[in-house]
Coordinates of all heavy atoms in Angstrom, one line a residue:
M1 N 121.6 -196.2 92.0 CA 122.9 -196.7 91.8 C 122.8 -198.2 91.4 O 123.6 -198.6 90.6 CB 123.7 -196.6 93.1 CG 125.1 -197.1 93.0 SD 126.2 -196.6 94.3 CE 125.5 -197.4 95.7
R2 N 121.8 -198.9 91.8 CA 121.7 -200.3 91.4 C 121.5 -200.4 89.9 O 122.0 -201.3 89.2 CB 120.5 -200.9 92.1 CG 120.8 -201.2 93.5 CD 119.6 -201.9 94.2 NE 119.9 -202.1 95.6 CZ 119.0 -202.1 96.5 NH1 117.7 -201.9 96.2 NH2 119.3 -202.2 97.8
T3 N 120.8 -199.4 89.3 CA 120.6 -199.3 87.8 C 122.0 -199.1 87.2 O 122.3 -199.8 86.2 CB 119.7 -198.2 87.5 OG1 118.4 -198.4 88.1 CG2 119.4 -198.1 86.0
T4 N 122.8 -198.2 87.7 CA 124.1 -198.0 87.1 C 125.0 -199.2 87.1 O 125.6 -199.6 86.1 CB 124.8 -196.8 87.8 OG1 124.0 -195.7 87.7 CG2 126.2 -196.5 87.1
V5 N 125.0 -199.9 88.2 CA 125.8 -201.1 88.3 C 125.2 -202.2 87.4 O 126.0 -203.0 86.9 CB 125.8 -201.6 89.8 CG1 126.5 -203.0 89.9 CG2 126.4 -200.6 90.7
G6 N 124.0 -202.2 87.1 CA 123.4 -203.1 86.2 C 123.9 -203.0 84.8 O 123.8 -203.9 84.0
F7 N 124.4 -201.8 84.4 CA 125.0 -201.6 83.1 C 126.4 -202.0 82.9 O 127.0 -202.0 81.9 CB 124.9 -200.1 82.7 CG 123.5 -199.6 82.5 CD1 123.0 -198.5 83.2 CD2 122.6 -200.3 81.8 CE1 121.8 -198.0 83.0 CE2 121.3 -199.8 81.6 CZ 120.9 -198.7 82.2
A8 N 127.0 -202.5 84.0 CA 128.4 -202.9 84.0 C 128.5 -204.3 83.2 O 127.6 -205.0 83.1 CB 129.0 -203.1 85.4
S9 N 129.7 -204.5 82.8 CA 130.0 -205.8 82.1 C 130.0 -206.9 83.1 O 129.9 -206.8 84.3 CB 131.4 -205.7 81.4 OG 132.4 -205.8 82.4
D10 N 130.2 -208.1 82.6 CA 130.3 -209.3 83.4 C 131.4 -209.2 84.5 O 131.3 -209.8 85.5 CB 130.5 -210.6 82.6 CG 129.4 -210.9 81.7 OD1 128.3 -210.4 82.0 OD2 129.6 -211.6 80.7
L11 N 132.4 -208.4 84.2 CA 133.6 -208.2 85.1 C 133.3 -207.0 86.0 O 134.2 -206.7 86.8 CB 134.9 -208.0 84.3 CG 135.3 -209.2 83.5 CD1 136.5 -208.8 82.6 CD2 135.6 -210.4 84.3
G12 N 132.2 -206.3 85.9 CA 131.9 -205.2 86.7 C 132.5 -203.9 86.2 O 132.5 -202.9 86.9
L13 N 132.9 -203.9 85.0 CA 133.5 -202.7 84.4 C 132.5 -201.8 83.6 O 131.5 -202.4 83.0 CB 134.7 -203.1 83.4 CG 135.8 -203.9 84.1 CD1 136.7 -204.4 83.0 CD2 136.5 -203.1 85.1
L14 N 132.7 -200.5 83.6 CA 131.8 -199.6 82.9 C 132.5 -199.0 81.7 O 133.7 -198.8 81.8 CB 131.4 -198.5 83.9 CG 130.6 -198.9 85.1 CD1 130.5 -197.7 86.1 CD2 129.2 -199.3 84.7
S15 N 131.7 -198.8 80.7 CA 132.3 -198.1 79.5 C 132.0 -196.6 79.6 O 131.4 -196.1 80.5 CB 131.7 -198.7 78.2 OG 130.3 -198.4 78.2
E16 N 132.5 -195.9 78.6 CA 132.3 -194.4 78.6 C 130.9 -194.1 78.3 O 130.4 -193.1 78.9 CB 133.2 -193.9 77.4 CG 133.2 -192.4 77.2 CD 134.1 -192.0 76.1 OE1 134.3 -192.7 75.1 OE2 134.7 -190.9 76.3
E17 N 130.2 -194.9 77.6 CA 128.8 -194.6 77.2 C 128.0 -195.9 77.2 O 128.5 -197.0 77.2 CB 128.7 -194.0 75.8 CG 129.4 -192.7 75.6 CD 129.4 -192.3 74.2 OE1 128.7 -192.9 73.4 OE2 130.1 -191.3 73.9
Y18 N 126.7 -195.8 77.3 CA 125.7 -196.9 77.2 C 124.8 -196.6 76.0 O 124.1 -195.6 76.0 CB 125.0 -197.1 78.5 CG 124.1 -198.4 78.4 CD1 124.7 -199.6 78.5 CD2 122.8 -198.2 78.2 CE1 123.9 -200.8 78.5 CE2 122.0 -199.4 78.2 CZ 122.5 -200.6 78.3 OH 121.7 -201.7 78.2
D19 N 124.7 -197.5 75.1 CA 123.7 -197.3 74.0 C 122.4 -198.0 74.4 O 122.2 -199.2 74.3 CB 124.3 -198.0 72.7 CG 123.5 -197.8 71.5 OD1 122.3 -197.3 71.6 OD2 124.0 -198.1 70.4
A20 N 121.5 -197.1 74.8 CA 120.2 -197.6 75.3 C 119.3 -198.3 74.1 O 118.6 -199.2 74.4 CB 119.4 -196.5 75.9
A21 N 119.5 -197.7 72.9 CA 118.7 -198.3 71.8 C 119.1 -199.7 71.5 O 118.3 -200.5 71.1 CB 118.9 -197.4 70.6
R22 N 120.4 -200.0 71.6 CA 120.9 -201.3 71.3 C 121.2 -202.2 72.6 O 121.5 -203.4 72.5 CB 122.2 -201.2 70.5 CG 122.0 -200.6 69.2 CD 123.2 -200.6 68.4 NE 122.9 -200.1 67.0 CZ 123.8 -199.7 66.2 NH1 125.1 -199.9 66.4 NH2 123.5 -199.3 65.0
G23 N 121.1 -201.5 73.7 CA 121.3 -202.3 75.0 C 122.7 -202.8 75.2 O 122.9 -203.9 75.6
R24 N 123.6 -202.0 74.9 CA 125.0 -202.4 75.0 C 126.0 -201.3 75.4 O 125.6 -200.1 75.3 CB 125.5 -203.0 73.7 CG 125.6 -202.0 72.6 CD 126.1 -202.7 71.3 NE 126.3 -201.7 70.2 CZ 127.4 -201.0 70.0 NH1 128.5 -201.2 70.7 NH2 127.5 -200.2 69.0
L25 N 127.1 -201.7 75.9 CA 128.1 -200.7 76.3 C 128.8 -200.1 75.0 O 128.9 -200.8 74.0 CB 129.2 -201.4 77.2 CG 128.7 -202.0 78.5 CD1 129.8 -202.9 79.1 CD2 128.2 -201.0 79.4
A26 N 129.1 -198.8 75.1 CA 129.7 -198.2 73.9 C 130.8 -197.2 74.4 O 130.9 -196.9 75.6 CB 128.6 -197.4 73.2
G27 N 131.7 -196.8 73.5 CA 132.7 -195.9 73.8 C 134.0 -196.6 74.4 O 134.1 -197.8 74.2
N28 N 134.8 -195.8 75.0 CA 136.1 -196.4 75.5 C 135.7 -197.3 76.7 O 134.8 -197.1 77.4 CB 136.9 -195.3 76.1 CG 137.5 -194.4 75.0 OD1 137.8 -194.9 73.9 ND2 137.7 -193.1 75.3
F29 N 136.5 -198.4 76.8 CA 136.2 -199.4 77.8 C 137.5 -200.0 78.3 O 138.3 -200.4 77.5 CB 135.4 -200.5 77.1 CG 134.9 -201.6 78.0 CD1 133.8 -201.4 78.8 CD2 135.6 -202.8 78.0 CE1 133.4 -202.4 79.6 CE2 135.2 -203.8 78.8 CZ 134.1 -203.6 79.6
P30 N 137.7 -200.2 79.6 CA 136.9 -199.6 80.7 C 137.2 -198.1 80.9 O 138.3 -197.7 80.5 CB 137.3 -200.4 81.9 CG 138.7 -200.8 81.6 CD 138.8 -201.0 80.1
Q31 N 136.3 -197.4 81.4 CA 136.4 -195.9 81.6 C 136.6 -195.6 83.0 O 135.7 -195.8 83.8 CB 135.2 -195.3 81.0 CG 135.2 -193.7 81.0 CD 136.4 -193.1 80.4 OE1 137.4 -192.8 81.0 NE2 136.3 -192.8 79.1
A32 N 137.7 -195.1 83.4 CA 138.0 -194.7 84.8 C 137.1 -193.6 85.3 O 136.6 -193.7 86.5 CB 139.4 -194.3 84.9
F33 N 136.7 -192.7 84.5 CA 135.8 -191.6 84.9 C 134.4 -192.1 85.3 O 133.8 -191.6 86.2 CB 135.7 -190.5 83.9 CG 137.0 -189.8 83.7 CD1 137.6 -189.8 82.4 CD2 137.6 -189.1 84.7 CE1 138.8 -189.1 82.3 CE2 138.8 -188.4 84.6 CZ 139.4 -188.4 83.3
S34 N 133.9 -193.2 84.6 CA 132.7 -193.8 84.9 C 132.7 -194.4 86.3 O 131.8 -194.3 87.1 CB 132.3 -194.8 83.9 OG 132.1 -194.2 82.6
H35 N 133.8 -195.1 86.6 CA 134.0 -195.8 87.8 C 134.1 -194.7 89.0 O 133.6 -194.9 90.0 CB 135.2 -196.7 87.8 CG 135.0 -197.9 86.9 ND1 135.4 -197.8 85.6 CD2 134.5 -199.1 87.2 CE1 135.1 -199.0 85.1 NE2 134.5 -199.8 86.0
L36 N 134.9 -193.7 88.7 CA 135.0 -192.6 89.7 C 133.7 -192.0 90.0 O 133.4 -191.7 91.2 CB 136.0 -191.6 89.2 CG 136.3 -190.4 90.2 CD1 136.9 -190.9 91.5 CD2 137.3 -189.4 89.5
G37 N 132.9 -191.7 89.0 CA 131.6 -191.1 89.3 C 130.7 -192.0 90.1 O 130.0 -191.5 91.0
L38 N 130.7 -193.3 89.9 CA 130.0 -194.2 90.6 C 130.4 -194.3 92.1 O 129.6 -194.3 93.0 CB 130.1 -195.6 90.0 CG 129.3 -196.8 90.7 CD1 127.8 -196.5 90.8 CD2 129.6 -198.1 90.1
I39 N 131.7 -194.3 92.3 CA 132.3 -194.3 93.7 C 131.9 -193.0 94.4 O 131.5 -193.0 95.6 CB 133.8 -194.5 93.6 CG1 134.1 -195.9 93.1 CG2 134.5 -194.3 95.0 CD1 135.6 -196.1 92.7
R40 N 132.1 -191.9 93.7 CA 131.7 -190.6 94.4 C 130.2 -190.5 94.7 O 129.9 -190.0 95.8 CB 132.1 -189.4 93.5 CG 133.7 -189.3 93.4 CD 134.1 -188.1 92.7 NE 133.8 -187.0 93.5 CZ 134.1 -185.7 93.2 NH1 134.6 -185.5 92.0 NH2 133.8 -184.7 94.0
A41 N 129.4 -191.0 93.8 CA 127.9 -191.0 94.1 C 127.6 -191.9 95.3 O 126.8 -191.5 96.2 CB 127.2 -191.5 92.9
A42 N 128.3 -193.1 95.4 CA 128.0 -194.0 96.5 C 128.5 -193.3 97.8 O 127.9 -193.4 98.9 CB 128.8 -195.3 96.3
D43 N 129.7 -192.6 97.8 CA 130.2 -192.0 98.9 C 129.3 -190.8 99.4 O 129.0 -190.7 100.6 CB 131.6 -191.4 98.6 CG 132.3 -190.8 99.8 OD1 132.3 -191.5 100.9 OD2 132.8 -189.7 99.7
A44 N 128.7 -190.1 98.4 CA 127.8 -189.0 98.8 C 126.5 -189.5 99.4 O 126.0 -188.9 100.4 CB 127.5 -188.2 97.5
L45 N 126.0 -190.6 98.9 CA 124.8 -191.2 99.4 C 125.1 -191.7 100.9 O 124.2 -191.5 101.7 CB 124.3 -192.4 98.6 CG 123.7 -192.0 97.2 CD1 123.4 -193.2 96.4 CD2 122.4 -191.2 97.5
T46 N 126.2 -192.3 101.1 CA 126.6 -192.8 102.4 C 126.7 -191.7 103.4 O 126.1 -191.7 104.5 CB 127.9 -193.6 102.4 OG1 127.8 -194.7 101.5 CG2 128.3 -194.1 103.7
A47 N 127.3 -190.6 103.0 CA 127.4 -189.4 103.9 C 126.0 -188.8 104.1 O 125.8 -188.3 105.3 CB 128.3 -188.4 103.2
A48 N 125.2 -188.7 103.1 CA 123.8 -188.1 103.3 C 123.0 -189.0 104.3 O 122.1 -188.4 105.0 CB 123.2 -188.0 102.0
L49 N 123.2 -190.3 104.3 CA 122.4 -191.1 105.1 C 122.9 -191.3 106.5 O 122.3 -191.9 107.4 CB 122.3 -192.5 104.5 CG 121.5 -192.5 103.1 CD1 121.6 -193.9 102.5 CD2 120.1 -192.1 103.3

Side-chain angles (χ1 to χ4, degrees):
M1 187 165 63
R2 289 181 183 150
T3 303
T4 303
V5 175
F7 293 130
S9 72
D10 294 340
L11 298 175
L13 301 173
L14 297 168
S15 66
E16 182 177 34
E17 300 174 8
Y18 183 78
D19 185 348
R22 295 185 177 169
R24 64 180 183 90
L25 301 171
N28 292 327
F29 184 80
Q31 180 58 267
F33 294 118
S34 299
H35 292 92
L36 180 60
L38 179 62
I39 293 166
R40 292 188 70 182
D43 186 48
L45 288 171
T46 300
L49 296 173

